[in-house]
Structures are given as structure tokens and as C-alpha cells.
DNA sequence: CTGTTAGCGCCTTCAG
DNA sequence: CTGAAGGCGCTAACAG
């Protein structure tokens, strides 16, 4: 593969002149420039970004480390991050951790060696240790979706507590009292906050919180299915089910269907996170919708700013609202609306 | 940020010894190794992969250039590619072209400059020119999902023609005669082949192909919606609709709903590409399902082999079968099953 | 087992 | 407007 010296000798100039043609064409006489450009063309020369990065210590690369691209929520985030990044000349390396701290650590280590210019990280657990390795190297990071208490970093997330609160309240208004909370892993801040919102709504309504109805699981369809199946095998059934995310609710719906029950006739189901309307034809689930595209865009914006103006901006937290969307998966207890 | 020389001087060895501790630890005496490792630890030294890449001309990076990560089909492909790549120590750069040849060209150019080790490319148009720039540089490529006639490259794709044929046949067996084909962009081989399969099924059944029922559009929800809306505004309506992909069918379903018609009572709808069952609760669409996870995995396997053993393997084409899955979006004409 | 030399391809600095 | 020297960080190749 031709290099800058090949181009230089073919066009009878020094390598630095070729470099200038590439980076500051206006500082080279038109005649020389034309000669160099002809040589570039002839040799099919393609500048080596690796060498450039070595000199400049900039890779124009962002790392997007998330839990699972397969969840449409993260798919949208990934799309918006890539859009925002490529508009500014950055490429994106995608990594799926599956909420596994070991995988996450391994990825972060590889990415630090690669000298990515910045990280967009969805930490597998909400602990400062998740971002420590990055901060120690003074590489810009923005944490997505989750808090990391004790770490001085930018965070862009949704208001999980309010989302869960709104959903729980909605269920209560429909007459539900036996509301099961299918939580995510409690080591993750969003799971914690969603349980908090659930508790607050119950307490405010004067309904005692029954710990029996709070079940911890993973943010996956399989886990939602498993936990809901357990619940449905018991003698007293809940009249409503709050999934901590879309996947949990989808798994739960499957369990309910397989148990021969109907949504919402027998059990109402709702969750945080929407499923894109264009994916499902007629959306069915009542949800507290986040704005994944926004989330990714805002986070990328913050990250690029950090990269461009290092050390200027103090860490900040952006909290986006969720939107309650009432659809057909929730109904009044026994099918009678109480309003 | 500490470099290899800092580690070397702190541990009183030469840089090359540090390098050996990192890459061939067994070739360094345990005592020296321990000293070096202590220094690495103390300095928080992280090897610079950029410098390593410059020396080795290997970046351990694959480029995944697809049309839109937002389509669950491509989401699955992306996931499988990332899984397979990271298992072999490769990272993946993700790019969305939106079927735009200009965007594609821009991405390819940037990625060649970055010296990615290989490309997984979904070409925006099925033409050899799409991969020319890559082949000219002798960089390994695998083309995903689409043919590129005239180019000597590995291709991993599904059998679109057979998929469309199976769907059309299914509709014919249900008594349909007025079947509209909502095609994708005909510059893309999959669109072409899906129309071919549609034609073959009709012809074999002795039903004349009415060009009026074949409509070209994009592989998007919006386009499916627009084209179907047009169709539904005419005086003679089709009794069934074949979407060239999932998004087209989803858009069409929306148009049908908005026209006050029902699926399948008034119009049957079917398409190539499934929507993951776990996303939609009770899957509704009759489809010819591809295996995106397989597709990505197989393609990545071929690509990594090309990278490891350059110039050894002749170009090959892998064609994966599609599976006809009959669900509730198709029914016999007038609701009467003809079987 | 350890070290010296040199160079991967580029661009900043300083001269001309 | 053009060029020479040097170094970014790392590791082959070749000593010793």
C-alpha cells in the first residue's frame, strides 16, 4: 500500500508537501498541488489514519458500551450516537456487555489500549468503580441511563423514579391494589429508582407496600418470563404487573398467556420503556416512555464537547422526562373502569 | 500517559523487555518480569494499541456497514457480528448508510484510512462499484445480504427468490389472485429477486402477472405506508399484499388500518423478514423468515478467515434458506379458507 | 535472557 | 512556498 513517501517521490516533492496538500491545500502552490494530486490518484494512495493518530493522539473514535443492542431502546440510542458522532467526523465502536461486569472490564481495557477519544458507557452496575479505570486515564466519559454515585462524571438519564411512579399511580387509579413489581437487578440505579417510584405511589395512596410483590430479576425477556411464571404459580395472583423495562414486560406477557390468562382482562401489564410504534403495528402496552434517541444525542453532544474542550466543563447530569402513554394493556380491576 | 520507556526506566530494563513482558512473558526471567509488572502497575501503564497497529499493520477492527441498525433484522446481524468478532479479539465499528450511496462512499473512504482489517458490507446498490474501492486496496470484504454481480467477493445472503415464491404461493393457495407486490428499490438485488419469486409463483399458477400490482419503493416503514396508501386509493383493491421486507409490511398495515380496512379480513399481508417474536408478544405477520443472527455469524467467520489466511480462499457465496411461517395476517379471500 | 538499532507513516518545528 | 530533522510508541531483526 502506497505511503506518503511514494507519493512524494512520484511528484518530485518532499513528504511534507504531500501532507500539506492533504491537510492545508491552500498553503501549496496550485501547480505543485496538481502534481501531487495526480500522483495520489495514480498510486491510489490512502492516508494512514493510524500513523496520523499516533502523532496527534486523536483517534476520532468513540466507544459505545451498552448492555445489549438487541433491545430496541439501545438500538435507538446506538443509532442516535452514530448519527451525532459521524456528523462530527467520529466513528463508533459498539460493545455489548450483557450487564456482565467481567465483559465490561475487558471491553474498557481493550478500548483504553485503543485510545478511543471518549466513552459512552452504560455501566453494568451503578458503582463508581465502573468508570474508575477511564477517569484514571483522564479520558472523557459520559454515563448513559444510570447513575454512578460517587463518581464525578457527566450523566444523561431518564427520570426512572417518576416514570415508575406515574405507572403505579395509573394502576392505582384503575382500582388495582395487588400490584407486582418485576424489578431489574437492584445493583443498577434505574432498577432501584423504579422500585422507589413504585413504593412512593403506593405509600401516597395509603396502600401498604407488600415486599412479597417486589421481585428482583434481570432486564431480559427470559427473566421477565421466569419471574412472572413464579408469581403466577402462587395462590394469590396480582391484578397488575409493573415491569421495570420493556423486555421484562414482554416476558411476563408470555408467561401470562401461557398460564391461560388474558391481558388486561385478568392482569394489567405496564412497564418503563416503549417499543417503537412502527415495530408493532398497533401498540398495546401502557408504558412510561423514555426518549432513547434524545438520550443518545444529548450524551454524544456532551462527550464531544468534553473532547474538544477538555477540563472546561464541570460534570453535569441531564435528566430527561418520561411520558406516560396509556394503551390497552391496562384496565380497571375486573374490567370495570373506576372512573 | 505513561509509555513503554517510562516503564522501562522505572524497572531498569530496556523498552524491548517491557514489550516482551506484555507479549511473550515466558521469554523473560521471573524476577525481571515481576519488576516490570510492578512498574506497569505503579505507573498505570496502558499499552498503546495505535503504535502497535502502526508497526504490525493490524488494527483488530472490523467495519460493519449496514443500512439502518434500527431495523431489527440488522440489529440481530450487528449483535452476531459483534459477538463473533469480540470472541476473536476484534472490535466492530458500526456505520448506517440509510441506503445512500454517498454516505456509503464516505464511510468506506474513512474506514480505509483507518485501516480496518476487514469489511462487512451491505451495499446500498447491488453493483460491483460498491466494493471496488475496498478490493482495489486488497482489504478483505464480505458482502452481506445482497449480491454484487461482477465482483469477486464472498457473499452471505438469504434466498430471497425462494422466500418471495413461498409467500406468493401461500397466498395463491388461499385463493388470492389480486396480489400486490410492494417492492424495495430495484437497484438492490434482494428487491429484484423478491419480485422474481413473486412472478414465478404467479406464472406457475397460471395467473397472469399484472405489472400494475408491482410497486417499487424503499425498504422503510414510511415508504411502505406511502405506496400502500396510493394503492388503497384506487378503485380496484388487491386482496393481498406482499411486502418486500418487514418495514414495508408494517407501513402497509398502518395504511390499511387508516383506510378503515382490516387485516386479514379485507386484505392479507405478508412479507420477507420476521420481527423477533420476543418483541411483539403474539406475532401476527405471516412471513418468510431469514436468520439474521446466522447471517452475521457466518459472514464474520468468512471475514476472519480471510484476514487470517489472506489470498487462500477463493470467493464463495453462502445462501441461507428462508422459512415460511404462517400466522394470522393472511387468510383466504373473503375469509373463506379454500382448503 | 536482555539490549541496540531501526523503522512503521505521519506531521510539528524550525529553516530556507 | 518548500524542505530537513526528529519523534509519536512500539516491536522486528539482529546481536551479545
Amino acid at each position: 500500500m502506497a505511503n506518503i513517501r511514494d507519493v512524494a517521490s512520484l511528484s518530485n516533492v518532499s513528504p511534507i508537501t504531500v501532507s500539506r496538500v492533504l491537510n492545508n491545500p491552500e498553503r501549496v502552490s496550485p501547480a505543485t498541488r496538481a502534481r501531487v494530486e495526480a500522483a495520489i490518484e495514480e498510486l491510489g494512495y490512502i492516508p494512514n489514519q493510524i500513523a496520523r493518530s499516533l502523532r496527534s493522539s486523536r483517534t476520532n473514535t468513540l466507544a459505545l458500551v451498552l448492555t445489549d443492542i438487541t433491545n430496541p431502546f439501545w438500538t435507538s440510542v446506538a443509532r442516535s450516537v452514530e448519527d451525532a458522532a459521524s456528523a462530527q467526523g467520529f466513528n463508533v465502536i459498539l460493545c455489548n456487555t450483557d450487564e456482565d461486569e467481567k465483559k465490561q472490564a475487558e471491553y474498557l481495557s481493550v478500548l483504553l489500549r485503543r485510545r478511543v477519544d471518549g466513552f459512552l458507557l452504560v455501566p453494568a452496575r451503578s458503582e463508581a468503580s465502573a468508570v474508575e479505570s477511564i477517569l484514571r486515564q483522564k479520558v472523557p466519559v459520559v454515563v448513559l441511563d444510570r447513575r454512578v454515585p460517587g463518581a464525578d462524571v457527566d450523566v444523561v438519564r431518564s427520570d426512572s423514579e417518576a416514570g415508575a411512579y406515574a405507572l403505579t399511580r395509573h394502576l392505582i387509579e384503575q382500582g388495582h391494589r395487588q400490584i407486582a413489581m418485576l424489578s431489574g437487578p437492584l445493583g443498577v440505579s434505574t432498577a432501584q429508582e423504579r422500585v422507589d417510584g413504585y413504593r412512593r405511589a403506593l405509600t401516597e395512596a395509603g396502600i401498604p407496600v407488600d415486599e412479597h410483590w417486589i421481585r428482583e430479576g434481570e432486564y431480559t425477556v427470559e427473566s421477565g418470563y421466569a419471574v412472572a411464571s413464579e408469581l403466577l404459580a402462587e395462590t394469590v395472583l396480582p391484578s397488575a404487573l409493573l415491569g421495570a423495562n420493556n423486555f421484562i414486560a414482554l416476558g411476563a406477557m408470555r408467561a401470562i398467556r401461557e398460564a391461560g390468562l388474558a391481558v388486561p382482562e385478568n392482569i394489567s401489564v405496564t412497564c418503563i420503556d416503549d417499543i417503537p410504534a412502527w415495530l408493532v403495528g398497533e401498540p398495546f402496552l401502557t408504558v412510561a416512555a423514555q426518549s432513547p434517541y434524545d438520550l443518545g444525542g444529548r450524551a454524544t453532544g456532551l462527550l464531544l464537547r468534553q473532547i474538544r474542550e477538555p477540563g472546561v466543563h464541570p460534570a453535569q447530569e441531564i435528566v430527561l422526562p418520561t411520558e406516560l402513554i396509556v394503551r390497552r394493556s391496562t384496565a380497571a380491576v375486573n374490567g370495570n373502569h373506576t372512573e
Side-chain angles (χ1 to χ4, degrees), chain A residues 98-159:
Chain A
D98 293 317
E99 309 262 11
D100 178 337
E101 290 181 278
K102 253 182 69 190
K103 270 194 185 182
Q104 172 179 294
E106 183 52 38
Y107 272 124
L108 294 188
S109 154
V110 170
L111 293 163
L112 283 170
R113 288 201 284 273
R114 299 187 76 108
R115 300 293 193 266
V116 296
D117 291 331
F119 285 85
L120 292 159
L121 173 67
V122 182
R125 308 186 103 249
S126 290
E127 289 170 3
S129 61
V131 289
E132 234 167 41
S133 64
I134 303 172
L135 292 176
R136 200 182 310 134
Q137 303 298 327
K138 310 229 187 310
V139 178
V141 210
V142 174
V143 169
L144 270 178
D145 183 62
R146 302 172 179 185
R147 299 169 189 269
V148 274
D152 188 40
V153 282
D154 286 343
V155 176
V156 181
R157 62 184 182 89
S158 299
D159 193 343

Side-chain angles (χ1 to χ4, degrees), chain A residues 217-225 245 247-249 251:
Chain A
E218 303 294 319
Y219 275 143
T220 63
V221 174
E222 295 72 33
S223 173
Y225 175 76
N245 83 336
F247 272 19
I248 290 177

Side-chain angles (χ1 to χ4, degrees), chain A residues 267-281:
Chain A
I267 297 188
S268 286
V269 174
T270 176
C271 64
I272 289 92
D273 288 348
D274 204 2
I275 294 169
W278 39 266
L279 263 188
V280 287

Side-chain angles (χ1 to χ4, degrees), chain A residues 25 98 108 112 140 168 173 198 207 256 258 260 293 303 334:
Chain A
D98 293 317
L108 294 188
L112 283 170
T168 310
E173 283 167 359
Y198 162 83
I207 302 170
I256 292 170
E258 289 185 9
Y293 195 88
L303 184 59
N334 303 326

